[in-house]
Amino acid sequence: MANTTSAKKATRKIARRTIVNKSRRTQMRSSVRTVEEAINRGDRAAAVKAMASAEPELMKAAQRNIIHKNAASRKVSRLAHQIAKLAK
């Protein structure tokens, strides 16, 4: 339990930030899920379109420290590779 005034304030800030980050994480995961679903269906056009919105979501999440920068880059790379395989 927080005892000092600054610790109590920090607890409040963390609680507010947690709500915001949870929302951002959900939005990011949803955009990635749409790309993965399009890939699983084999629909390259839909996958490319979904990827155009998912990539900025991932990079924004990385900038805001919701996920690690390398994890975001790795996810973008793997999705792009899977989309490229659909063209073959």
Side-chain angles (χ1 to χ4, degrees), residues 3-73:
N3 290 324
T4 62
T5 309
S6 60
K8 289 177 184 176
K9 180 179 178 182
T11 304
R12 291 193 305 270
K13 284 173 65 175
I14 289 166
R16 283 195 302 266
R17 204 174 305 126
T18 299
I19 294 167
V20 171
N21 285 345
K22 199 173 280 191
S23 169
R24 288 176 176 161
R25 188 177 301 119
T26 302
Q27 190 174 357
M28 177 201 66
R29 286 178 177 165
S30 296
S31 63
V32 169
R33 193 175 299 116
T34 58
V35 177
E36 290 171 342
E37 288 171 355
I39 290 170
N40 289 336
R41 285 194 313 266
D43 188 356
R44 186 178 188 281
V48 170
K49 187 175 178 185
M51 184 65 173
S53 64
E55 186 174 354
E57 287 285 338
L58 280 162
M59 290 306 153
K60 279 183 203 169
Q63 282 180 333
R64 294 169 175 157
N65 290 324
I66 294 167
I67 59 172
H68 194 275
K69 179 179 66 110
N70 292 354
S73 294

